[in-house]
Amino acid sequence: MNETPAGRVVLLTTSHRVAPGLLSWPAWQALHAADDVLCADAGHPQLPYLREAGVDVKQAAPTAEELVRACAGGRTVLVVATAEGDRPLTDGLARLAGSGRHAMPDLELLPGSYDLPGARLLDLVQVMDRIRAECPWSSRQTHRSLAKYGIEEAYELVEAIEDGDRTELREELGDVLLQVVFHARIAEEDDQAPFSVDDVAGTIVDKLIHRHPHVFGDDTASTPEEVKAHWLRTKAVEKQRDSVTEGIPLGQPGLALAAKLASRARTAALDVPLPTGEGIGYELLAMAVRAEAAGIDPEAALRAAARAYRDAIRTAETA
């Protein structure tokens, strides 16, 4: 006595982060070869493109039992997964298989499209767009009101780096990224000079390509020093600054500011005597310049010393 073939179920998954209609060749082959193509979501973004390609897609949300019966006789049923993943259906199929009372069809999970690197950034942009529209707090923020958070998040990122905490590092990088996406979303609403996160990304992409002619052009650079020289030459042409001090934010911490000024002067081969005066400020300036000349970040060095001081205070408190 011949058993009736149990058939085959193909669960086709697609990424909403890839333009609809861009499917793999195995996905198109499976779609055209299937006896039935089902999709529970009438608004699935792939449906217009599948139908345009001659695929007859039926809107249906079968139970696991119904799907098994539909495959009887060796038929192949392809299910276009919804964004939620059709968890009730797959759980139901697993229960039927586990019961041992059913002749189960072969089950294949077929990815029709894959996320590209950076695809979750699209999710972040969508989430930020909704938060900006619907959150009472976020909808009222401006570039100026958010400025302090950018500074705080940058410091927290530095702390995570210096602590060597990988979990914290990943989280703090996300917080810094949020600031970029948030500001870009606010910028879209500007009446005079709007721009989007795509404009922000496009600007930095163009800048990176232009400033790395040894990677994207015909120049060569075999050492970090040569790379830095390329960068500085290109930047000088771009900015056309009247002074090497232009572009240095004066609001940054004092030691970092002093070191940056010293770095600019040294790179430009300017022999500038340090100003003299009374008070600790001039002493700190001289120390910062000496640290920079020695390749030491004075701000990081002071933070490390301050952490040691903090530990000593805690030790004294518990003694």
Side-chain angles (χ1 to χ4, degrees), residues 155-234:
Y155 277 130
E156 289 176 7
L157 172 60
V158 171
E159 184 174 0
I161 293 171
E162 293 180 345
D163 286 345
D165 188 323
R166 301 289 294 177
T167 301
E168 279 294 311
L169 175 58
R170 183 172 67 180
E171 181 176 346
E172 297 304 337
L173 283 169
D175 289 342
V176 171
L177 179 59
L178 170 60
Q179 295 301 309
V180 175
V181 176
F182 203 162
H183 279 283
R185 177 62 183 81
I186 293 172
E188 291 184 40
E189 303 167 7
D190 188 87
D191 293 332
Q192 303 301 319
F195 59 83
S196 69
V197 69
D198 289 317
D199 298 315
V200 173
T203 298
I204 191 59
V205 166
D206 291 343
K207 181 187 290 186
L208 288 173
I209 291 174
H210 184 60
R211 293 189 184 178
H212 289 78
H214 53 290
V215 176
F216 301 99
D218 298 328
D219 287 356
T220 58
S222 56
T223 66
E225 290 74 22
E226 291 177 350
V227 172
K228 186 175 182 180
H230 275 308
W231 181 278
L232 292 174
R233 283 197 302 270
T234 306

Side-chain angles (χ1 to χ4, degrees), residues 141-148 182-187 190 195:
Q141 299 311 303
T142 65
H143 294 303
R144 189 174 295 276
S145 70
L146 289 178
K148 62 180 180 181
F182 203 162
H183 279 283
R185 177 62 183 81
I186 293 172
D190 188 87
F195 59 83

Side-chain angles (χ1 to χ4, degrees), residues 45-277:
Q46 296 287 353
L47 296 189
Y49 299 91
L50 299 185
R51 288 168 177 149
E52 186 177 349
V55 178
D56 181 18
V57 185
K58 300 180 178 67
Q59 184 190 353
T63 64
E65 292 84 352
E66 291 170 341
L67 189 58
V68 169
R69 287 197 296 270
C71 293
R75 302 178 78 252
T76 295
V77 178
L78 185 148
V79 178
V80 180
T82 64
E84 290 73 29
D86 298 286
R87 183 68 178 271
L89 177 61
T90 55
D91 286 349
L93 290 170
R95 283 193 298 271
L96 290 180
S99 71
R101 297 193 298 269
H102 298 268
M104 295 298 295
D106 293 333
L107 179 60
E108 178 184 355
L109 180 63
L110 178 60
S113 55
Y114 300 85
D115 287 344
L116 299 174
R120 294 307 303 272
L121 294 174
L122 299 177
D123 290 347
L124 175 58
V125 172
Q126 291 179 342
V127 168
M128 186 68 252
D129 188 61
R130 183 170 177 181
I131 289 173
R132 178 66 174 175
E134 300 179 19
C135 173
W137 183 85
S138 299
S139 62
R140 290 177 171 84
Q141 299 311 303
T142 65
H143 294 303
R144 189 174 295 276
S145 70
L146 289 178
K148 62 180 180 181
Y149 300 109
I151 295 172
E152 290 173 4
E153 299 300 353
Y155 277 130
E156 289 176 7
L157 172 60
V158 171
E159 184 174 0
I161 293 171
E162 293 180 345
D163 286 345
D165 188 323
R166 301 289 294 177
T167 301
E168 279 294 311
L169 175 58
R170 183 172 67 180
E171 181 176 346
E172 297 304 337
L173 283 169
D175 289 342
V176 171
L177 179 59
L178 170 60
Q179 295 301 309
V180 175
V181 176
F182 203 162
H183 279 283
R185 177 62 183 81
I186 293 172
E188 291 184 40
E189 303 167 7
D190 188 87
D191 293 332
Q192 303 301 319
F195 59 83
S196 69
V197 69
D198 289 317
D199 298 315
V200 173
T203 298
I204 191 59
V205 166
D206 291 343
K207 181 187 290 186
L208 288 173
I209 291 174
H210 184 60
R211 293 189 184 178
H212 289 78
H214 53 290
V215 176
F216 301 99
D218 298 328
D219 287 356
T220 58
S222 56
T223 66
E225 290 74 22
E226 291 177 350
V227 172
K228 186 175 182 180
H230 275 308
W231 181 278
L232 292 174
R233 283 197 302 270
T234 306
K235 188 174 181 179
V237 173
E238 288 176 357
K239 300 297 184 180
Q240 293 293 310
R241 288 169 170 159
D242 296 325
S243 169
V244 297
T245 66
E246 289 183 22
I248 298 178
L250 300 180
Q252 63 184 299
L255 288 177
L257 172 60
K260 187 65 176 179
L261 288 167
S263 173
R264 288 282 184 90
R266 182 169 53 82
T267 302
L270 295 174
D271 185 11
V272 183
L274 290 177
T276 58

